[in-house]
Amino acid sequence: MIRELTRMSLLRRIKSSVATSRTLKLQVHSVNAQNLLFRDLVSSVCIQPRRGFYIERVSRLPVVSFNLSDIGEGIKEVELTEWFVEEGDTVAQFDSICEVKSDKASVTITSRFDGVVKKLHHEVDSVVLVGQALVDIETESDGDEDPKEDNEAAEQVLIEKDEDKAPVSSTSKVLATPAVRSFASKKGVDISQVQGSGPDGRVMKEDVLNFVDGPKKSPETKPVAPPIPTVTPTGQDRTETIKGIRKVMFVNMVEANKIPHFGYDDEYDLTNLVSVRKDLKHVAKKHDIKLSYLPFILKAVSMSLLEYPILNSSISQDQESIVYKASHNIGIAVDSPHGLLLPCVKDVQNKSILEVAGEVIRLQNAGLENKLHPNDLSGGTFSVSNIGSIGGTYAHPVIFPPQVAIGALGKIQVLPRFDRNGDVTKAHIMCVSWSADHRIIEGATMSRFSNNIKYLLEDPSRMVLYLK
């Protein structure tokens, strides 16, 4: 009896195991079928897209770092003064990216790529070294450039087609700072519709406000009291980093003080020159040139340099030889709001007085607007400082290395002088101050050089003999 019960129990267990095995097999078959069904579904979606869905291989666009390139003249670092773009803006080749200021001039950096700005690497007023990255731009490589390759593998993603894409905003093409763009956005103004009044058509904050308010009638002009100058309270010190133009002046003056200077002063009677300039002002005006005394003086300096070329030279780096310069690139000191600048009138020996006058005006205006090109500030061989425009008479000018001489021109004063007959007459007198490198220039040479300029300026008709 016991054996029979045991046998029946074993049979029930076997049947249960068989049933379980069949269930497992059915489950496995079901899972396999589901996998096959999902694979067939995906294949059908790839081959015959429905409801606007499709499988597409998307590769991330390459991101290239746009670096600050060498802008010449040995400049190693610049100060970033303004951004014209912000992250997310679309830029094209030659669009303005930012403005940087070196110790010689301000330069606008333009884009070399078409793409989207992904990252700005520096803040405004920060110092950027040559070779450092300015921005990262996501762009499609066209073979001309070699942007950094994206090392991540492409991904398979499911993308829904969007037939009606939103138009790309054209506000990134407008020249404006990110702060002005943000202000215009808050005011609900399309910045591309605003007429800019800044340099190169740049949109300013006032332009956005005028656009919002609309044209207004100009009120009657009333005399405005001059602004009261702000006075820094005593007892409050202020620290300022030496940088930009002031930094290069600092370095140059340290080098200049290593030169043994000697000075030479004299007076020129410019009465005849005053009369000649008065007659020629109307001729120059026809050429849109305001004729001053400085072009006559620069031309007389150049003519005298032909007679005394050692004053248009420099000492070699090993201090074993003298380099005589063929071109007369005469620097003129410009007192700009950004600091003392010394742009050069190039090749004065080959220019007429009218051409020199036009170049002087261009350099002075560019200096006041901080738009001098680095080439305007390089290559000087001799310098002249017109302190008379401020009101000075005599000065002790400091040589600008590697030059060997410099002159300072005082204001023209109406003073009594004796003529050849011993009578007292009214004369236009200008005081001049010369400084020279006493290592290679003797006092007699500087005296003869000054006398030659005096000979030409006191009777300008003599200058005709030197003109080619």
Side-chain angles (χ1 to χ4, degrees):
M1 185 67 178
I2 293 173
R3 289 181 179 178
E4 183 65 21
L5 292 173
T6 301
R7 188 177 65 82
M8 293 177 64
S9 175
L10 289 172
L11 287 174
R12 283 196 299 271
R13 291 180 179 179
I14 291 172
K15 290 180 180 179
S16 176
S17 299
V18 170
T20 301
S21 175
R22 289 177 178 175
T23 302
L24 290 173
K25 287 182 178 180
L26 289 174
Q27 290 176 351
V28 170
H29 285 303
S30 176
V31 170
N32 292 338
Q34 290 177 4
N35 289 339
L36 290 174
L37 180 60
F38 178 78
R39 187 167 59 191
D40 293 340
L41 176 60
V42 171
S43 299
S44 65
V45 171
C46 293
I47 298 173
Q48 298 177 353
R50 292 176 303 213
R51 298 185 304 278
F53 289 88
Y54 67 104
I55 296 294
E56 177 181 87
R57 179 178 295 271
V58 176
S59 300
R60 295 182 181 179
L61 295 175
V63 177
V64 58
S65 290
F66 181 28
N67 301 333
L68 175 66
S69 59
D70 186 3
I71 56 180
E73 296 300 324
I75 295 173
K76 300 299 181 184
E77 63 181 28
V78 297
E79 178 186 353
L80 198 152
T81 56
E82 188 174 3
W83 282 111
F84 300 138
V85 297
E86 55 187 359
E87 294 181 2
D89 282 356
T90 301
V91 295
Q93 293 186 46
F94 308 111
D95 282 355
S96 297
I97 295 291
C98 63
E99 183 177 78
V100 299
K101 181 173 69 175
S102 70
D103 54 7
K104 295 185 177 181
S106 293
V107 179
T108 299
I109 305 297
T110 58
S111 175
R112 296 168 52 200
F113 309 101
D114 298 335
V116 179
V117 176
K118 305 302 291 183
K119 181 180 179 181
L120 307 180
H121 283 275
H122 303 277
E123 299 291 336
V124 174
D125 295 332
S126 60
V127 175
V128 185
L129 301 178
V130 171
Q132 284 187 339
L134 289 172
V135 295
D136 288 347
I137 300 178
E138 185 180 65
T139 177
E140 294 184 0
S141 176
D142 57 1
D144 295 334
E145 306 292 341
D146 187 17
K148 189 186 302 180
E149 295 182 357
D150 188 4
N151 295 325
E152 297 184 5
E155 301 174 353
Q156 292 283 349
V157 293
L158 189 65
I159 301 178
E160 184 175 359
K161 282 187 178 179
D162 186 3
E163 300 295 340
D164 299 323
K165 294 185 178 179
V168 179
S169 174
S170 63
T171 58
S172 62
K173 306 298 182 183
V174 180
L175 195 59
T177 61
V180 174
R181 294 176 188 273
S182 176
F183 180 75
S185 178
K186 290 178 182 178
K187 293 290 184 180
V189 174
D190 183 1
I191 200 170
S192 63
Q193 304 298 321
V194 181
Q195 181 67 34
S197 62
D200 300 325
R202 184 178 306 169
V203 178
M204 314 298 287
K205 184 178 179 180
E206 292 77 9
D207 300 329
V208 178
L209 290 174
N210 293 336
F211 185 85
V212 173
D213 298 339
K216 294 183 179 180
K217 295 182 179 180
S218 57
E220 295 181 359
T221 57
K222 296 181 180 180
V224 180
I228 302 175
T230 7
V231 180
T232 306
T234 57
Q236 295 182 1
D237 297 340
R238 184 169 61 92
T239 303
E240 182 180 274
T241 306
I242 300 176
K243 58 183 180 180
I245 296 173
R246 193 175 298 278
K247 182 177 180 180
V248 74
M249 184 174 69
F250 182 95
V251 174
N252 287 332
M253 290 304 100
V254 170
E255 293 299 318
N257 281 327
K258 299 177 182 178
I259 299 173
H261 287 58
F262 82 90
Y264 180 84
D265 302 329
D266 201 356
E267 291 183 354
Y268 297 168
D269 185 350
L270 302 186
T271 305
N272 291 331
L273 178 61
V274 171
S275 177
V276 169
R277 171 183 171 268
K278 184 178 179 180
D279 294 337
L280 296 179
K281 281 173 59 177
H282 304 290
V283 178
K285 192 174 181 180
K286 295 179 180 179
H287 299 273
D288 295 327
I289 293 176
K290 183 179 179 181
L291 188 62
S292 65
Y293 297 104
L294 186 57
F296 292 94
I297 297 172
L298 295 182
K299 192 63 181 179
V301 168
S302 175
M303 292 176 177
S304 300
L305 290 175
L306 293 173
E307 299 292 328
Y308 303 95
I310 194 170
L311 291 166
N312 195 59
S313 66
S314 63
I315 302 175
S316 62
Q317 291 185 354
D318 58 6
Q319 299 187 355
E320 296 291 335
S321 56
I322 300 174
V323 181
Y324 291 87
K325 304 294 184 178
S327 297
H328 297 169
N329 301 335
I330 303 178
I332 53 173
V334 176
D335 179 28
S336 77
H338 320 284
L340 179 63
L341 301 172
L342 197 67
C344 300
V345 181
K346 301 294 179 66
D347 298 317
V348 179
Q349 78 279 2
N350 296 328
K351 287 182 169 64
S352 67
I353 293 176
L354 199 62
E355 290 172 333
V356 172
E359 187 67 4
V360 167
I361 294 173
R362 183 188 73 82
L363 293 174
Q364 289 176 338
N365 292 338
L368 294 175
E369 297 173 4
N370 198 25
K371 292 184 178 180
L372 285 169
H373 191 274
N375 185 55
D376 295 329
L377 296 159
S378 62
T381 61
F382 191 94
S383 297
V384 171
S385 177
N386 186 13
I387 62 170
S389 59
I390 303 175
T393 51
Y394 286 102
H396 180 64
V398 181
I399 299 170
F400 187 76
Q403 300 171 22
V404 295
I406 185 173
L409 311 175
K411 64 179 180 180
I412 299 177
Q413 307 175 82
V414 179
L415 300 172
R417 288 294 185 268
F418 290 100
D419 61 14
R420 295 178 180 178
N421 300 323
D423 299 326
V424 177
T425 61
K426 182 176 67 174
H428 294 78
I429 304 299
M430 182 182 71
C431 303
V432 293
S433 306
W434 304 102
S435 292
D437 189 339
H438 215 341
R439 293 175 296 180
I440 62 172
I441 298 173
E442 298 84 5
T445 303
M446 176 55 75
S447 177
R448 294 187 182 98
F449 171 77
S450 178
N451 288 339
N452 195 77
I453 297 175
K454 182 177 183 179
Y455 172 79
L456 296 172
L457 293 179
E458 290 190 347
D459 187 356
S461 62
R462 297 166 181 163
M463 299 175 68
V464 179
L465 300 175
Y466 291 82
L467 297 176
K468 295 182 179 180

